[in-house]
Amino acid sequence: MRISVMQQLKVDLSERSYDILIGAGLLDEPGSAAAEIFAGRSILLIADTNTAPLYLERARTAINKAGAARCESFVFPAGEENKNFATLEELLRHAASLELDRKSCFVALGGGVCGDMTGFAASCYMRGVDFVQIPTSLLAMVDSSVGGKTGIDLPEGKNLVGAFWQPQLVIIDPTLLKTLPARELRCGLAEVAKYAVIMDSELFDILDEYAERLLALDLELYEEIVARCCQLKADVVAQDEREGGIRAILNYGHTFGHALEIVTDFTLNHGEAVAVGMNMAGTLAVDMGVFNKKDLLRQIQLLNDLELPQTFFGAQTEDVFKAMFKDKKQSGGKLVLILPEKLGKVRIERNADEKMVRQAIGSCL
Ligand code: GLY
């Protein structure tokens, strides 16, 4: 694989286009693209209680060096349970109390929760301000920081309130992964494996070969892998920004996975649930005769090598099945499932037989 110093990718969305910068050291030296955005502006840097002690001051220094007029901050308690209206209100009121105007820019410095909430706050503060993503988790680097899905949770479900609001720039410094807990790293690797199965068989082979190096946090390898996943996501988002069609393939393993998260009361984290969900989707595809057993075994082997679970004991098939209908991605009471046809290719399936779906769930519980 080619090892480079810095990669610059583009999410091509006409007037909403933006760059993704990927490179070691970008947190401290984000370069001229960042300076163009930050120079002369009031910045609100948003982090949680995990990322703030690690990175907030370094990010503030870089933003000030890039020529910001001022750099304020907002820190909220870490955890999905805080991605809610109460934190959003606090954030927005903090921005208002600082008299930040509509030319100010919000910066998300954190994982998926921070990015989703910052983006949503940016979408509605003063009817919309600019924002920049600086993801600190692998999951946020390869998935949630790119594509403009923003939002908060309701007690009734995850991400039920939100907006499509694209960032102006995504700055990814893979060295930030050094402080990511191992379980969270594996959670991000589930999303990486997802890209491989849905659209990149060559990436699948690379993951297969280098699983050990990934678990050992080979940062040069991560730079390449993160760039490759961002490119795949950028291509999909450029074709279908608002998930009217092909963007749904990014939900591979997620309909089963979200249901498992709910049923297990989040004992499984997102990536673990997605990994089990990929196994359920792959099993269903084999049962339906659209995916071959050999490829399913390769998927199982890869997820094993990445130390991700394939099964979860203790949940009931019927509970998981019912919870799948609560996913906001389902339409008109019908299941929409992403099923593999071969490694690197999936289909959107709207007519899966419910008995077979239950069987596939049961085989992984
Ligand atoms: N995480 C899936 C998407 O952004 O569409």
Side-chain angles (χ1 to χ4, degrees):
M1 288 178 86
R2 190 174 59 86
I3 304 296
S4 67
V5 179
M6 204 261 272
Q7 310 207 32
Q8 182 159 359
L9 312 174
K10 182 173 175 169
V11 184
D12 197 350
L13 289 168
S14 50
E15 76 281 0
R16 290 183 307 289
S17 297
Y18 54 95
D19 287 337
I20 306 168
L21 310 178
I22 302 147
L26 280 175
L27 177 67
D28 301 304
E29 301 283 345
S32 56
E36 268 172 40
I37 290 171
F38 296 141
R41 295 175 87 176
S42 297
I43 308 297
L44 182 59
L45 183 54
I46 297 154
D48 67 24
T49 46
N50 287 336
T51 54
L54 296 167
Y55 300 123
L56 190 103
E57 287 315 316
R58 278 170 63 187
R60 194 197 302 275
T61 303
I63 289 167
N64 283 330
K65 252 175 42 190
R70 63 198 269 228
C71 182
E72 305 287 352
S73 56
F74 176 80
V75 178
F76 65 96
E80 182 79 33
E81 65 277 18
N82 298 307
K83 199 176 98 175
N84 58 22
F85 268 118
T87 315
L88 179 74
E89 181 182 356
E90 231 187 283
L91 193 169
L92 294 170
R93 290 188 64 187
H94 186 64
S97 72
L98 293 165
E99 298 182 354
L100 296 179
D101 65 15
R102 58 181 14 160
K103 289 206 161 51
S104 58
C105 175
F106 292 1
V107 178
L109 177 68
V113 168
C114 180
D116 286 3
M117 202 171 54
T118 301
F120 186 44
S123 79
C124 54
Y125 185 68
M126 302 250 167
R127 299 206 177 90
V129 296
D130 288 351
F131 89 111
V132 169
Q133 291 267 20
I134 309 181
T136 57
S137 71
L138 180 59
L139 185 140
M141 289 179 189
V142 297
D143 185 25
S144 59
S145 68
V146 175
K149 280 190 181 174
T150 72
I152 56 169
D153 303 335
L154 291 180
E156 287 75 11
K158 273 175 74 167
N159 297 324
L160 291 187
V161 181
F164 284 99
W165 191 251
Q166 300 294 342
Q168 261 57 49
L169 183 68
V170 181
I171 301 170
I172 302 178
D173 182 342
T175 66
L176 307 192
L177 295 176
K178 279 189 208 163
T179 55
L180 192 68
R183 188 176 177 199
E184 291 304 317
L185 188 77
R186 292 197 297 271
C187 176
L189 285 171
E191 296 286 349
V192 174
K194 173 198 82 177
Y195 284 110
V197 176
I198 64 173
M199 58 195 302
D200 190 347
S201 62
E202 199 184 285
L203 175 61
F204 192 99
D205 294 339
I206 293 168
L207 299 177
D208 218 7
E209 189 174 347
Y210 295 121
E212 220 173 293
R213 277 172 58 185
L214 288 165
L215 289 175
L217 199 65
D218 178 331
L219 288 175
E220 286 183 346
L221 182 57
Y222 271 101
E223 195 164 321
E224 288 299 317
I225 297 285
V226 168
R228 192 160 180 141
C229 293
C230 285
Q231 184 65 64
L232 293 167
K233 180 142 189 194
D235 291 345
V236 171
V237 170
Q239 290 173 65
D240 178 21
E241 184 181 5
R242 289 178 167 251
E243 202 169 302
I246 189 170
R247 186 164 177 170
I249 69 171
L250 300 174
N251 300 327
Y252 179 51
H254 282 60
T255 301
F256 292 103
H258 281 157
L260 274 165
E261 282 182 274
I262 294 168
V263 167
T264 64
D265 210 9
F266 298 90
T267 307
L268 284 176
N269 73 16
H270 180 70
E272 291 163 346
V274 166
V276 181
M278 285 170 64
N279 198 17
M280 289 173 174
T283 303
L284 174 62
V286 169
D287 292 348
M288 286 172 64
V290 299
F291 188 44
N292 82 51
K293 185 85 194 237
K294 200 168 103 278
D295 283 345
L296 175 61
L297 291 174
R298 282 199 71 201
Q299 177 182 276
I300 290 172
Q301 185 62 50
L302 175 64
L303 295 173
N304 261 332
D305 290 348
L306 296 173
E307 297 182 1
L308 286 159
Q310 309 288 301
T311 51
F312 181 81
F313 300 106
Q316 299 301 316
T317 300
E318 204 50 34
D319 294 343
V320 176
F321 182 74
K322 282 202 186 112
M324 286 169 77
F325 290 87
K326 290 193 185 146
D327 191 329
K328 70 178 179 323
K329 294 176 184 88
Q330 305 312 314
S331 65
K334 267 189 97 76
L335 281 179
V336 181
L337 296 171
I338 310 305
L339 298 184
E341 291 184 335
K342 59 181 183 178
L343 295 175
K345 187 169 187 297
V346 285
R347 70 204 252 165
I348 301 175
E349 177 63 62
R350 292 188 169 80
N351 292 308
D353 176 70
E354 294 193 355
K355 194 163 151 248
M356 289 177 109
V357 175
R358 284 189 173 90
Q359 236 169 37
I361 296 169
S363 72
C364 301
L365 295 180

